Amino acid sequence: MTAHEEIDLKRFIRHVPDFPKPGILFYDISTLMRNPDAWQLAMGRLARQVAPLKPDLLAAVESRGFLTAAPLADRLGCGLLMLRKCGKLPGDTISHTYDLEYGSDTLEIQADAVQPGQRVVVMDDLLATGGTLAASVALLRKAGANVVGASVMVELTSLGGRNKVDAPVSTLLTYKE
């Protein structure tokens, strides 16, 4: 094992209590991103997880998914598309509305972002309850994508979000709480 392989990336994730609201423990990846060695190692590990899926495109979930998907798409030599909140993309879009704990939300992609059958991996920073990731998979399939997987930097396993996602999920770091 190299020195890089021995680095525990969890020590670079900051835990912020009561953010964005009381009772929520926020797992902040910005502290990992600020450390060049940890960031390079994280991107390398994500690349090893995603490369075997042979994606044509990585689909980045707004907004922190952009942070991992863009450098990973460059590293893997594949394309990148953005899944955005309603009204943020120019041109014709395809949308998918999904339920949240209190209310609903809508994700969109540009109508020409995916060619039928293209192999797509969805990227986000965090998997908690699974609603956004599941909606992303549904939207991409609606657009004709072959969603071959999803990849997240952090998964909160106690919330069971993985069970809602209709695609194989790979995770860099897991937390039980």
Side-chain angles (χ1 to χ4, degrees):
M1 239 195 291
T2 67
H4 258 299
E5 296 299 320
E6 296 172 18
I7 294 175
D8 178 9
L9 292 176
K10 281 186 176 182
R11 70 185 180 103
F12 295 96
I13 304 293
R14 177 174 41 198
H15 300 181
V16 183
D18 299 319
F19 183 84
K21 59 184 181 180
I24 301 292
L25 179 59
F26 185 79
Y27 292 83
D28 183 10
I29 67 168
S30 68
T31 47
L32 181 142
M33 293 170 55
R34 286 196 300 255
N35 183 292
D37 291 335
W39 181 238
Q40 287 296 316
L41 180 58
M43 288 295 96
R45 288 179 182 174
L46 283 173
R48 282 195 300 277
Q49 288 180 347
V50 173
L53 300 174
K54 299 181 180 7
D56 299 309
L57 293 166
L58 297 183
V61 178
E62 184 170 340
S63 68
R64 288 182 300 272
F66 300 167
L67 301 173
T68 56
L72 193 58
D74 179 62
R75 193 177 276 219
L76 296 177
C78 62
L80 174 72
L81 71 88
M82 297 179 291
L83 293 119
R84 305 244 14 222
K85 304 282 185 188
C86 188
K88 300 286 186 180
L89 291 169
D92 293 335
T93 59
I94 301 170
S95 64
H96 180 78
T97 299
Y98 60 104
D99 292 328
L100 297 170
E101 221 173 308
Y102 302 101
S104 64
D105 208 350
T106 301
L107 286 174
E108 292 182 332
I109 60 170
Q110 291 172 314
D112 61 355
V114 178
Q115 299 304 309
Q118 276 189 303
R119 297 174 62 84
V120 178
V121 173
V122 183
M123 302 284 305
D124 205 354
D125 69 319
L126 179 86
L127 173 57
T129 61
T132 302
L133 207 56
S136 299
V137 170
L139 172 57
L140 289 160
R141 287 192 175 137
K142 185 179 187 178
N146 175 14
V147 180
V148 294
S151 177
V152 296
M153 187 163 293
V154 174
E155 179 180 1
L156 307 180
T157 57
S158 65
L159 298 178
R162 171 183 293 263
N163 299 328
K164 293 182 184 172
V165 181
D166 185 24
V169 177
S170 61
T171 302
L172 193 60
L173 305 169
T174 58
Y175 293 89
K176 291 186 179 174
E177 41 188 58

